[in-house]
Amino acid sequence: MTSFAARMPKVELHLHIEGTLEPELMFELAARNGVTLPYASVEALRAAYDFGNLQDFLDLYYQGAAVLLKEQDFFDLAWAYFSRVHQDNVEHAELFFDPQTHTERGVAMGTVIEGLAAACTKAHEELGISSALILCFLRHLDGAAAVKTLTDAMPFREHFIGVGLDSAEVGNPPEGFRDAFELAGAEGLHRVAHAGEEGPPAYIWGALDALHVERVDHGVRCLEDEALVARLSRERIPLTVCPLSNVKLRVFDTLADHNLTALLEAGLCATVNSDDPAYFGGYMNDNFVQCQQALGLSDAQLRLLADNAIAASFASEARKAELRASLASVR
Ligand code: HPA
Ligand code: ZN
């Protein structure tokens, strides 16, 4: 019988859809679209997935995204993700997408969003997975570009529920994106941001105070700042932690060194997520099962992590009740 960690119903809140592009699909789309990849084979590409830090990964991630050109490509990408995580018992997922990675290459905003949204609809109809899209701004580009991106996305407002902030963290603090996040708030969008992955606790304070985020993506460096931990705990600000990502990008040396247990013990609403599973060696079950083994998590701790993710999600109260019932039904 499979482990409880594997069987458990799951909610994924930190997932970059471009980071689910498996080498096989990358080559297939490259061939379909006449794009030349700088790798001879799937194996050669996989062998390049050895990262010293976040920027090493981002260089390959943006290069890979160049095969995504048509609405069908975005649909195929997201449908592959939903089909894959259905096997991991994911029942609800909130997907990040990076429009600027595509619009900068001449792909229309509608092509990106409508392709992804169609896959979300099919996932609900055929797999029973509820989902939502979160538009992320690239922080290596500036705040004005973020405002323009959100403005350009407004004709497709019905298809996304929030905004986020990703890409190279160090040197690109949250405060530069105040205007874009204020505009998002005025439009009734949810707000989240990557902070405290490689960057210092000050970036988490900045995400809270300047961007008014409801969740912090990663946030693992919060433990360096006691006052910050007290605030995150008091305000019940969830952290979307990505254990395998953190090891691949050398935030922690090994999974056994990860601070996930310490985050839970500090009373924080920590969750487990896969980030960029095609690049980091695992989807949701790989993250949960490997954490369970490396950190010796109990079934009660696994259940707490799953329950935290339901609470932290932007699903409706009715959907959260369904997700909680599903979690309670699995032993
Ligand atoms: N961090 C920052 N930006 C990203 C990541 C990440 O882990 N994945 C995709 N874009
Ligand atoms: Zn991320």
Side-chain angles (χ1 to χ4, degrees):
M1 178 140 133
T2 55
S3 70
F4 176 64
R7 290 196 311 276
M8 191 172 71
K10 296 170 186 77
V11 164
E12 174 141 66
L13 303 176
H14 185 155
L15 181 279
H16 301 265
I17 196 59
E18 293 89 348
T20 68
L21 180 54
E22 292 286 350
E24 290 78 4
L25 182 57
M26 197 189 294
F27 271 86
E28 190 184 319
L29 295 180
R32 197 159 92 187
N33 289 331
V35 174
T36 307
L37 290 170
Y39 297 93
S41 65
V42 162
E43 293 71 33
L45 176 55
R46 271 222 170 80
Y49 292 178
D50 179 23
F51 314 115
N53 56 33
L54 174 59
Q55 190 60 54
D56 280 357
F57 154 70
L58 290 170
D59 293 343
L60 271 186
Y61 166 85
Y62 295 128
Q63 181 184 78
V67 302
L68 299 164
L69 291 174
K70 310 211 171 83
E71 187 173 319
Q72 185 70 41
D73 305 337
F74 290 92
F75 174 88
D76 290 348
L77 174 70
W79 180 247
Y81 164 72
F82 286 122
S83 306
R84 175 63 189 79
V85 296
H86 184 53
Q87 300 165 36
D88 286 7
N89 303 305
V90 170
E91 297 189 348
H92 176 82
E94 296 176 10
L95 281 55
F96 293 141
F97 68 107
D98 289 337
Q100 288 157 294
T101 297
H102 313 299
T103 54
E104 288 219 318
R105 298 181 290 111
V107 177
M109 182 68 78
T111 299
V112 178
I113 298 182
E114 286 176 349
L116 297 175
C120 292
T121 300
K122 182 169 170 172
H124 192 239
E125 289 170 357
E126 298 194 7
L127 306 173
I129 300 176
S130 52
S131 64
L133 296 171
I134 296 178
L135 181 159
C136 282
F137 305 117
L138 297 180
R139 67 202 302 162
H140 66 268
L141 303 177
D142 65 15
V147 170
K148 179 172 189 315
T149 299
L150 182 54
T151 306
D152 291 347
M154 287 321 289
F156 310 96
R157 169 70 183 82
E158 70 191 281
H159 294 307
F160 59 101
I161 61 156
V163 299
L165 184 65
D166 64 6
S167 190
E169 185 182 8
V170 175
N172 298 305
E175 287 78 2
F177 299 88
R178 223 183 265 272
D179 292 349
F181 275 68
E182 199 176 291
L183 177 59
E187 295 290 350
L189 289 158
H190 289 291
R191 292 175 278 193
V192 301
H194 284 53
E197 176 186 18
E198 286 188 343
Y203 285 26
I204 303 178
W205 286 106
L208 295 171
D209 292 333
L211 308 184
H212 305 287
V213 298
E214 297 157 77
R215 296 197 297 244
V216 173
D217 297 312
H218 293 293
V220 291
R221 288 193 60 189
C222 72
L223 291 186
E224 295 167 31
D225 183 336
E226 239 174 80
L228 177 58
V229 171
R231 175 162 181 199
L232 293 169
S233 166
R234 190 174 62 245
E235 296 182 10
R236 296 301 295 156
I237 305 280
L239 305 182
T240 62
V241 178
C242 305
L244 288 178
S245 161
N246 291 155
V247 173
K248 272 285 184 189
L249 300 186
R250 320 256 177 128
V251 175
F252 296 96
D253 290 336
T254 72
L255 212 46
D257 299 310
H258 200 284
N259 67 7
L260 178 64
T261 313
L263 295 169
L264 289 177
E265 283 167 359
L268 298 174
C269 182
T271 65
V272 166
N273 307 272
S274 72
D275 207 3
D276 300 282
Y279 293 88
F280 298 153
Y283 288 79
M284 284 293 264
N285 274 5
D286 303 302
N287 273 275
F288 272 98
V289 170
Q290 291 186 43
C291 278
Q292 193 275 322
Q293 290 168 353
L295 301 169
L297 300 178
S298 64
D299 284 3
Q301 283 173 311
L302 292 167
R303 203 176 276 281
L304 174 61
L305 287 164
D307 197 55
N308 283 348
I310 297 171
S313 78
F314 297 135
S316 67
E317 286 309 317
R319 181 62 180 147
K320 286 184 182 188
E322 288 176 0
L323 294 165
R324 287 192 180 104
S326 172
L327 178 59
S329 74
V330 175
R331 294 278 133 199

PDB file of all heavy atoms in Angstrom, residues 10-30:
ATOM      1  N   LYS A  10      -4.350  16.669  -1.940  1.00  0.00           N
ATOM      2  CA  LYS A  10      -3.430  17.809  -1.824  1.00  0.00           C
ATOM      3  C   LYS A  10      -3.916  19.074  -2.528  1.00  0.00           C
ATOM      4  O   LYS A  10      -4.662  18.995  -3.505  1.00  0.00           O
ATOM      5  CB  LYS A  10      -2.068  17.418  -2.417  1.00  0.00           C
ATOM      6  CG  LYS A  10      -1.410  16.294  -1.644  1.00  0.00           C
ATOM      7  CD  LYS A  10      -0.189  15.724  -2.333  1.00  0.00           C
ATOM      8  CE  LYS A  10       0.298  14.519  -1.559  1.00  0.00           C
ATOM      9  NZ  LYS A  10      -0.568  13.319  -1.817  1.00  0.00           N
ATOM     10  N   VAL A  11      -3.431  20.188  -2.022  1.00  0.00           N
ATOM     11  CA  VAL A  11      -3.663  21.497  -2.638  1.00  0.00           C
ATOM     12  C   VAL A  11      -2.291  22.078  -2.960  1.00  0.00           C
ATOM     13  O   VAL A  11      -1.420  22.118  -2.086  1.00  0.00           O
ATOM     14  CB  VAL A  11      -4.425  22.415  -1.647  1.00  0.00           C
ATOM     15  CG1 VAL A  11      -4.347  23.870  -2.077  1.00  0.00           C
ATOM     16  CG2 VAL A  11      -5.888  21.957  -1.530  1.00  0.00           C
ATOM     17  N   GLU A  12      -2.115  22.492  -4.200  1.00  0.00           N
ATOM     18  CA  GLU A  12      -0.816  23.087  -4.595  1.00  0.00           C
ATOM     19  C   GLU A  12      -0.984  24.588  -4.822  1.00  0.00           C
ATOM     20  O   GLU A  12      -1.826  25.016  -5.603  1.00  0.00           O
ATOM     21  CB  GLU A  12      -0.277  22.415  -5.862  1.00  0.00           C
ATOM     22  CG  GLU A  12       0.993  23.119  -6.360  1.00  0.00           C
ATOM     23  CD  GLU A  12       2.068  22.189  -6.904  1.00  0.00           C
ATOM     24  OE1 GLU A  12       1.848  21.554  -7.938  1.00  0.00           O
ATOM     25  OE2 GLU A  12       3.127  22.120  -6.263  1.00  0.00           O
ATOM     26  N   LEU A  13      -0.154  25.372  -4.143  1.00  0.00           N
ATOM     27  CA  LEU A  13      -0.281  26.839  -4.169  1.00  0.00           C
ATOM     28  C   LEU A  13       0.944  27.559  -4.722  1.00  0.00           C
ATOM     29  O   LEU A  13       0.938  28.783  -4.843  1.00  0.00           O
ATOM     30  CB  LEU A  13      -0.540  27.352  -2.741  1.00  0.00           C
ATOM     31  CG  LEU A  13      -1.773  26.771  -2.040  1.00  0.00           C
ATOM     32  CD1 LEU A  13      -1.854  27.298  -0.616  1.00  0.00           C
ATOM     33  CD2 LEU A  13      -3.050  27.086  -2.817  1.00  0.00           C
ATOM     34  N   HIS A  14       1.996  26.817  -5.014  1.00  0.00           N
ATOM     35  CA  HIS A  14       3.209  27.460  -5.531  1.00  0.00           C
ATOM     36  C   HIS A  14       3.749  26.604  -6.669  1.00  0.00           C
ATOM     37  O   HIS A  14       4.518  25.668  -6.462  1.00  0.00           O
ATOM     38  CB  HIS A  14       4.236  27.621  -4.394  1.00  0.00           C
ATOM     39  CG  HIS A  14       5.461  28.384  -4.795  1.00  0.00           C
ATOM     40  ND1 HIS A  14       6.241  29.062  -3.886  1.00  0.00           N
ATOM     41  CD2 HIS A  14       6.054  28.569  -5.997  1.00  0.00           C
ATOM     42  CE1 HIS A  14       7.256  29.633  -4.508  1.00  0.00           C
ATOM     43  NE2 HIS A  14       7.175  29.338  -5.800  1.00  0.00           N
ATOM     44  N   LEU A  15       3.301  26.950  -7.870  1.00  0.00           N
ATOM     45  CA  LEU A  15       3.593  26.138  -9.042  1.00  0.00           C
ATOM     46  C   LEU A  15       3.675  27.077 -10.234  1.00  0.00           C
ATOM     47  O   LEU A  15       2.688  27.769 -10.538  1.00  0.00           O
ATOM     48  CB  LEU A  15       2.449  25.117  -9.211  1.00  0.00           C
ATOM     49  CG  LEU A  15       2.442  24.091 -10.333  1.00  0.00           C
ATOM     50  CD1 LEU A  15       1.951  24.646 -11.665  1.00  0.00           C
ATOM     51  CD2 LEU A  15       3.791  23.402 -10.509  1.00  0.00           C
ATOM     52  N   HIS A  16       4.841  27.133 -10.846  1.00  0.00           N
ATOM     53  CA  HIS A  16       5.004  27.957 -12.054  1.00  0.00           C
ATOM     54  C   HIS A  16       4.696  27.056 -13.239  1.00  0.00           C
ATOM     55  O   HIS A  16       5.413  26.067 -13.455  1.00  0.00           O
ATOM     56  CB  HIS A  16       6.430  28.485 -12.151  1.00  0.00           C
ATOM     57  CG  HIS A  16       6.829  29.317 -10.970  1.00  0.00           C
ATOM     58  ND1 HIS A  16       6.737  30.687 -10.961  1.00  0.00           N
ATOM     59  CD2 HIS A  16       7.298  28.963  -9.742  1.00  0.00           C
ATOM     60  CE1 HIS A  16       7.140  31.143  -9.785  1.00  0.00           C
ATOM     61  NE2 HIS A  16       7.486  30.119  -9.025  1.00  0.00           N
ATOM     62  N   ILE A  17       3.657  27.391 -13.996  1.00  0.00           N
ATOM     63  CA  ILE A  17       3.270  26.467 -15.063  1.00  0.00           C
ATOM     64  C   ILE A  17       4.403  26.307 -16.086  1.00  0.00           C
ATOM     65  O   ILE A  17       4.617  25.204 -16.613  1.00  0.00           O
ATOM     66  CB  ILE A  17       1.907  26.875 -15.693  1.00  0.00           C
ATOM     67  CG1 ILE A  17       1.335  25.712 -16.493  1.00  0.00           C
ATOM     68  CG2 ILE A  17       1.987  28.148 -16.514  1.00  0.00           C
ATOM     69  CD1 ILE A  17       1.073  24.433 -15.739  1.00  0.00           C
ATOM     70  N   GLU A  18       5.175  27.363 -16.312  1.00  0.00           N
ATOM     71  CA  GLU A  18       6.313  27.224 -17.245  1.00  0.00           C
ATOM     72  C   GLU A  18       7.370  26.261 -16.679  1.00  0.00           C
ATOM     73  O   GLU A  18       8.187  25.722 -17.427  1.00  0.00           O
ATOM     74  CB  GLU A  18       6.968  28.589 -17.518  1.00  0.00           C
ATOM     75  CG  GLU A  18       6.092  29.576 -18.285  1.00  0.00           C
ATOM     76  CD  GLU A  18       5.219  30.445 -17.381  1.00  0.00           C
ATOM     77  OE1 GLU A  18       5.093  30.150 -16.165  1.00  0.00           O
ATOM     78  OE2 GLU A  18       4.654  31.431 -17.898  1.00  0.00           O
ATOM     79  N   GLY A  19       7.353  26.072 -15.375  1.00  0.00           N
ATOM     80  CA  GLY A  19       8.301  25.167 -14.723  1.00  0.00           C
ATOM     81  C   GLY A  19       7.838  23.720 -14.701  1.00  0.00           C
ATOM     82  O   GLY A  19       8.454  22.876 -14.048  1.00  0.00           O
ATOM     83  N   THR A  20       6.725  23.449 -15.409  1.00  0.00           N
ATOM     84  CA  THR A  20       6.261  22.063 -15.543  1.00  0.00           C
ATOM     85  C   THR A  20       6.575  21.529 -16.945  1.00  0.00           C
ATOM     86  O   THR A  20       6.116  20.450 -17.310  1.00  0.00           O
ATOM     87  CB  THR A  20       4.743  21.938 -15.298  1.00  0.00           C
ATOM     88  OG1 THR A  20       4.043  22.596 -16.367  1.00  0.00           O
ATOM     89  CG2 THR A  20       4.346  22.562 -13.964  1.00  0.00           C
ATOM     90  N   LEU A  21       7.313  22.321 -17.709  1.00  0.00           N
ATOM     91  CA  LEU A  21       7.636  21.926 -19.090  1.00  0.00           C
ATOM     92  C   LEU A  21       8.711  20.840 -19.073  1.00  0.00           C
ATOM     93  O   LEU A  21       9.899  21.119 -18.915  1.00  0.00           O
ATOM     94  CB  LEU A  21       8.115  23.172 -19.866  1.00  0.00           C
ATOM     95  CG  LEU A  21       8.497  22.997 -21.326  1.00  0.00           C
ATOM     96  CD1 LEU A  21       7.380  22.353 -22.133  1.00  0.00           C
ATOM     97  CD2 LEU A  21       8.874  24.361 -21.926  1.00  0.00           C
ATOM     98  N   GLU A  22       8.288  19.606 -19.228  1.00  0.00           N
ATOM     99  CA  GLU A  22       9.220  18.476 -19.216  1.00  0.00           C
ATOM    100  C   GLU A  22      10.024  18.470 -20.522  1.00  0.00           C
ATOM    101  O   GLU A  22       9.520  18.876 -21.573  1.00  0.00           O
ATOM    102  CB  GLU A  22       8.451  17.153 -19.088  1.00  0.00           C
ATOM    103  CG  GLU A  22       7.764  16.952 -17.749  1.00  0.00           C
ATOM    104  CD  GLU A  22       8.738  16.615 -16.607  1.00  0.00           C
ATOM    105  OE1 GLU A  22       9.922  16.343 -16.892  1.00  0.00           O
ATOM    106  OE2 GLU A  22       8.292  16.643 -15.439  1.00  0.00           O
ATOM    107  N   PRO A  23      11.269  18.009 -20.472  1.00  0.00           N
ATOM    108  CA  PRO A  23      12.109  17.988 -21.683  1.00  0.00           C
ATOM    109  C   PRO A  23      11.419  17.335 -22.895  1.00  0.00           C
ATOM    110  O   PRO A  23      11.557  17.828 -24.018  1.00  0.00           O
ATOM    111  CB  PRO A  23      13.326  17.192 -21.229  1.00  0.00           C
ATOM    112  CG  PRO A  23      13.447  17.518 -19.777  1.00  0.00           C
ATOM    113  CD  PRO A  23      12.032  17.602 -19.283  1.00  0.00           C
ATOM    114  N   GLU A  24      10.667  16.252 -22.662  1.00  0.00           N
ATOM    115  CA  GLU A  24      10.002  15.576 -23.791  1.00  0.00           C
ATOM    116  C   GLU A  24       9.027  16.518 -24.498  1.00  0.00           C
ATOM    117  O   GLU A  24       9.000  16.597 -25.728  1.00  0.00           O
ATOM    118  CB  GLU A  24       9.248  14.325 -23.318  1.00  0.00           C
ATOM    119  CG  GLU A  24      10.141  13.179 -22.870  1.00  0.00           C
ATOM    120  CD  GLU A  24      10.728  13.359 -21.467  1.00  0.00           C
ATOM    121  OE1 GLU A  24      10.381  14.351 -20.782  1.00  0.00           O
ATOM    122  OE2 GLU A  24      11.546  12.504 -21.068  1.00  0.00           O
ATOM    123  N   LEU A  25       8.207  17.239 -23.699  1.00  0.00           N
ATOM    124  CA  LEU A  25       7.240  18.172 -24.293  1.00  0.00           C
ATOM    125  C   LEU A  25       7.979  19.371 -24.911  1.00  0.00           C
ATOM    126  O   LEU A  25       7.572  19.880 -25.958  1.00  0.00           O
ATOM    127  CB  LEU A  25       6.211  18.640 -23.248  1.00  0.00           C
ATOM    128  CG  LEU A  25       5.117  19.573 -23.758  1.00  0.00           C
ATOM    129  CD1 LEU A  25       4.311  18.959 -24.910  1.00  0.00           C
ATOM    130  CD2 LEU A  25       4.162  19.978 -22.619  1.00  0.00           C
ATOM    131  N   MET A  26       9.081  19.776 -24.284  1.00  0.00           N
ATOM    132  CA  MET A  26       9.866  20.891 -24.835  1.00  0.00           C
ATOM    133  C   MET A  26      10.355  20.542 -26.250  1.00  0.00           C
ATOM    134  O   MET A  26      10.233  21.354 -27.181  1.00  0.00           O
ATOM    135  CB  MET A  26      11.060  21.208 -23.924  1.00  0.00           C
ATOM    136  CG  MET A  26      11.667  22.577 -24.180  1.00  0.00           C
ATOM    137  SD  MET A  26      13.218  22.841 -23.301  1.00  0.00           S
ATOM    138  CE  MET A  26      12.723  22.843 -21.596  1.00  0.00           C
ATOM    139  N   PHE A  27      10.866  19.323 -26.420  1.00  0.00           N
ATOM    140  CA  PHE A  27      11.332  18.905 -27.751  1.00  0.00           C
ATOM    141  C   PHE A  27      10.166  18.769 -28.732  1.00  0.00           C
ATOM    142  O   PHE A  27      10.284  19.137 -29.902  1.00  0.00           O
ATOM    143  CB  PHE A  27      12.141  17.602 -27.648  1.00  0.00           C
ATOM    144  CG  PHE A  27      13.604  17.854 -27.401  1.00  0.00           C
ATOM    145  CD1 PHE A  27      14.084  18.035 -26.104  1.00  0.00           C
ATOM    146  CD2 PHE A  27      14.499  17.974 -28.465  1.00  0.00           C
ATOM    147  CE1 PHE A  27      15.432  18.302 -25.873  1.00  0.00           C
ATOM    148  CE2 PHE A  27      15.858  18.242 -28.238  1.00  0.00           C
ATOM    149  CZ  PHE A  27      16.325  18.409 -26.947  1.00  0.00           C
ATOM    150  N   GLU A  28       9.042  18.255 -28.241  1.00  0.00           N
ATOM    151  CA  GLU A  28       7.869  18.091 -29.110  1.00  0.00           C
ATOM    152  C   GLU A  28       7.381  19.460 -29.612  1.00  0.00           C
ATOM    153  O   GLU A  28       7.109  19.636 -30.803  1.00  0.00           O
ATOM    154  CB  GLU A  28       6.768  17.384 -28.288  1.00  0.00           C
ATOM    155  CG  GLU A  28       5.578  16.931 -29.083  1.00  0.00           C
ATOM    156  CD  GLU A  28       4.511  16.326 -28.160  1.00  0.00           C
ATOM    157  OE1 GLU A  28       4.879  15.572 -27.220  1.00  0.00           O
ATOM    158  OE2 GLU A  28       3.320  16.624 -28.375  1.00  0.00           O
ATOM    159  N   LEU A  29       7.290  20.427 -28.694  1.00  0.00           N
ATOM    160  CA  LEU A  29       6.817  21.762 -29.086  1.00  0.00           C
ATOM    161  C   LEU A  29       7.845  22.458 -29.973  1.00  0.00           C
ATOM    162  O   LEU A  29       7.485  23.176 -30.913  1.00  0.00           O
ATOM    163  CB  LEU A  29       6.516  22.615 -27.846  1.00  0.00           C
ATOM    164  CG  LEU A  29       5.360  22.133 -26.965  1.00  0.00           C
ATOM    165  CD1 LEU A  29       5.177  23.062 -25.764  1.00  0.00           C
ATOM    166  CD2 LEU A  29       4.062  22.039 -27.750  1.00  0.00           C
ATOM    167  N   ALA A  30       9.126  22.232 -29.698  1.00  0.00           N
ATOM    168  CA  ALA A  30      10.177  22.830 -30.533  1.00  0.00           C
ATOM    169  C   ALA A  30      10.030  22.341 -31.975  1.00  0.00           C
ATOM    170  O   ALA A  30      10.090  23.136 -32.927  1.00  0.00           O
ATOM    171  CB  ALA A  30      11.555  22.474 -29.979  1.00  0.00           C
TER     172      ALA A  30
END
